[in-house]
Amino acid sequence: MAAKRFNRGVALVGAGMSSFGAFPGKTTRDLFVDAFKDMQASVDKGFDPKDIDECYFGNYSSSQFEGQGFTAPFIANAVGMNPRPAIRAENACASGGSAIRLGVMAIASGIADMVLVGGYEKETDQPTEKVTEILATASDNLYENVAGFTFPGLYAALATAYMHRYGATGETMMKVALQNHENGALNPKAQFGKKIGDFIKMKQRSAEKKGKPVPQWDDEMAFLRDPRANPVISWPMRLFDCSPVSDGAAALLLVADDMAHHFTDKPLHIIGNGVASGVAMHDRTDLTRIETATEAGRVAYEMAKVSPKDIQVCEVHDCFTMTQVIATEDLGFFGRGEGWKALEEGRTARDGDRPINTSGGLKSKGHPVGASGVGQVVEVWKQLRGEAGERQLPGDPTLGLTHNLGGSGQVCVVNIFERK
Amino acid sequence: MSKDFYNAAGFYEYVDEKKLMGTRCKSSGELFVPPRPFSPSCSGGEMEWVEMSGKGKLEAFTVTLYGPTRMVEAGYGPKNPYCVGIVRLDEGPAISAQILGLDLTKPEEIKIGTPMKLTFLERTEGEEKKTYIGFEAT
């Protein structure tokens, strides 16, 4: 099959997000307004919202989380987009990535010159048990859900298969958490923008206040190994292996390539866009990898005419810690079974040779599922334009990639961005 | 009569009769567990039900402390966790199921590849009792 191509080029000229976290009293509409304003402020030469031709929004399940189905026209209305077309994409945690796909297609096809892409989710109004159940409706309801699989459970099962074959351990996963929280601590929009050391101090202060004995840990790993500080949720996964329950929204402004310089002198070009769908976990022949990611990556790399070694900035879908390790292999950064070693050697840290999730990832930044795939692009936007502040990668990076999984990996969206 | 559809409803009717069944495409011979009413590789074909031997091996698993409502109602929780996994059947296909007969206090000692045999379990969900497939270590 010949490499896929766009009929015309697509550029990113603005990207913004709300803070991710728990925001009682705010609905997805309010969160999206925050994201839209942040995106507006990011467009160097400004733009007239009336020039937006179409809107594509990623949202997993406001119908279950907020009791509001049919969100696209409401969200479009909240930012003054009516009567423009507004369509919601639902692909579980890859809803945001899927909305990007639709926006890219609209511009590449010529039907639109300027597109607003968004993603939003409001999860924290529901108790944790209910959130677990809502997320579990993205697993196979006929055969996985009934067996007792939750989302942490499905990804924990992948982790056991990976650990068994390649020798990774629970310590590997703890090191992912450690690394992502180191990065997230430098991201003011992150829900848990704290280092593990900061969590230790919080626990100690809280004990002190209550007049209880102050707990001591030798170091951050000792804290993560302590089952009282970091309890098992679904073995081998513990609390600090799971991305949080989050509220949040993100927004992007896409335009046709030849218009990009009206809005900024530093546009990013979407040079690769791959999407793949796949089977439920029990139908896979290999549970140590996620085939959709390899396939979406292959399509995106071929379209972009780049290879994994060319990528300088990369946000992967670390809904759970081991998922990040597997993603770095699926995308071709490391060989099979090598990802966990690379992680433990510090190669994926901010100062490593293959930095991953400089934003803090979903783990630290937060995972409002419909917004996550769009939020990843905000980090690439900042890094490739030299605007990532304290977490800015050195070397003036020009090539970035996002990897957004849906469900247990039954969908993956990979985008490749270039600053020319 | 859901069995005529060669689908999930038929599968669970058989589970109520304590049978683990898949479907086989009469033209391509492909075996599907869970069952499919349609063979994507040959775009059709008539199906027939085939009973599985119930033997297999554990391919992946987790020990869950915080389960969904149906598992909480069945009595599971942080103090009484359950194991759920994917079992590859000797016939080839794999399926998700609750895993019994393992020491869940030491999950690190549970081995991928452990031989498994089919069992059936009943869970009380709300007012109802439902039968599900399970596997236990042999």
Side-chain angles (χ1 to χ4, degrees), chain B residues 21-138:
Chain B
M21 303 291 279
T23 58
R24 183 158 55 206
C25 173
K26 286 184 184 175
S27 41
S28 71
E30 270 182 286
L31 175 66
F32 302 109
V33 186
R36 287 172 181 262
F38 173 77
S39 170
S41 60
C42 70
S43 282
E46 267 183 76
M47 290 290 166
E48 60 185 348
W49 287 107
V50 192
E51 185 169 4
M52 297 296 106
S53 67
K55 288 189 198 128
K57 285 195 171 75
L58 187 63
E59 191 150 302
F61 71 96
T62 180
V63 177
T64 297
L65 282 71
Y66 299 91
T69 307
R70 61 156 53 85
M71 299 306 281
V72 174
E73 284 179 350
Y76 296 104
K79 288 188 178 136
N80 181 29
Y82 62 92
C83 182
V84 51
I86 294 172
V87 174
R88 183 150 312 271
L89 303 171
D90 283 358
E91 289 85 352
I95 192 157
S96 299
Q98 194 175 337
I99 309 294
L100 307 169
L102 296 170
D103 181 1
L104 302 190
T105 62
K106 292 183 186 126
E108 60 283 356
E109 287 177 15
I110 299 174
K111 294 274 181 293
I112 303 272
T114 301
M116 295 273 136
K117 74 167 197 291
L118 178 67
T119 181
F120 292 89
L121 49 100
E122 286 199 334
R123 282 192 220 126
T124 306
E125 294 179 7
E127 306 283 287
E128 267 184 286
K129 263 202 172 152
K130 285 194 180 166
T131 306
Y132 291 103
I133 58 164
F135 281 85
E136 50 189 5
T138 54

Side-chain angles (χ1 to χ4, degrees), chain A residues 184-205:
Chain A
L186 302 178
N187 185 347
K189 296 272 175 82
Q191 180 171 7
F192 291 103
K194 294 179 180 67
K195 298 181 184 189
I196 300 301
D198 299 328
F199 286 99
I200 293 177
K201 283 179 208 142
M202 274 169 54
K203 290 244 177 200
Q204 289 172 332
R205 258 185 248 125

Side-chain angles (χ1 to χ4, degrees), chain B residues 13-20 51 118 120 122 131:
Chain B
E13 265 187 49
Y14 276 120
V15 169
D16 282 338
E17 297 168 19
K18 309 255 159 90
K19 283 181 179 163
L20 173 59
E51 185 169 4
L118 178 67
F120 292 89
E122 286 199 334
T131 306

Side-chain angles (χ1 to χ4, degrees), chain A residues 311-340:
Chain A
I311 304 297
Q312 296 156 301
V313 174
C314 181
E315 290 287 302
V316 305
H317 193 94
D318 57 326
C319 49
F320 299 96
T321 48
M322 195 61 99
T323 321
Q324 170 163 328
V325 171
I326 293 172
T328 60
E329 296 180 9
D330 292 333
L331 291 169
F333 298 147
F334 305 112
R336 292 292 169 195
E338 301 297 320
W340 72 274

Side-chain angles (χ1 to χ4, degrees), chain A residues 129-321:
Chain A
E129 198 178 303
K130 181 74 182 163
V131 173
T132 304
E133 212 156 292
I134 293 171
L135 294 174
T137 63
S139 66
D140 185 335
N141 189 41
L142 297 175
Y143 301 107
E144 287 175 344
N145 211 335
V146 291
F149 268 125
T150 58
F151 260 93
L154 285 164
Y155 279 99
L158 285 178
T160 60
Y162 183 90
M163 288 157 69
H164 172 76
R165 182 166 313 162
Y166 295 122
T169 65
E171 303 261 311
T172 310
M173 297 195 282
M174 291 172 198
K175 287 171 186 164
V176 176
L178 202 58
Q179 180 184 296
N180 290 6
H181 279 283
E182 288 283 327
N183 291 342
L186 302 178
N187 185 347
K189 296 272 175 82
Q191 180 171 7
F192 291 103
K194 294 179 180 67
K195 298 181 184 189
I196 300 301
D198 299 328
F199 286 99
I200 293 177
K201 283 179 208 142
M202 274 169 54
K203 290 244 177 200
Q204 289 172 332
R205 258 185 248 125
S206 145
E208 216 166 51
K209 261 192 205 159
K210 290 178 190 156
K212 288 183 181 169
V214 177
Q216 299 293 335
W217 293 277
D218 288 343
D219 58 17
E220 293 175 317
M221 286 301 284
F223 173 84
L224 291 172
R225 281 182 207 117
D226 180 351
R228 282 165 308 161
N230 188 15
V232 174
I233 302 294
S234 197
W235 193 91
M237 224 114 71
R238 297 166 181 245
L239 180 64
F240 276 87
D241 294 308
C242 306
S243 57
V245 173
S246 313
D247 305 334
L252 310 176
L253 191 63
L254 304 183
V255 301
D257 254 354
D258 55 7
M259 298 164 55
H261 286 274
H262 297 306
F263 305 99
T264 173
D265 295 331
K266 282 195 291 183
L268 303 187
H269 300 274
I270 302 183
I271 59 170
N273 174 258
V275 185
S277 68
V279 296
M281 291 232 326
H282 54 253
D283 268 342
R284 296 177 200 174
T285 50
D286 188 339
L287 292 171
T288 64
R289 56 178 70 187
I290 292 179
E291 291 290 349
T292 55
T294 304
E295 173 61 10
R298 183 190 65 77
V299 173
Y301 287 134
E302 279 184 18
M303 191 188 269
K305 299 188 179 70
V306 301
S307 70
K309 67 175 179 358
D310 302 320
I311 304 297
Q312 296 156 301
V313 174
C314 181
E315 290 287 302
V316 305
H317 193 94
D318 57 326
C319 49
F320 299 96
T321 48

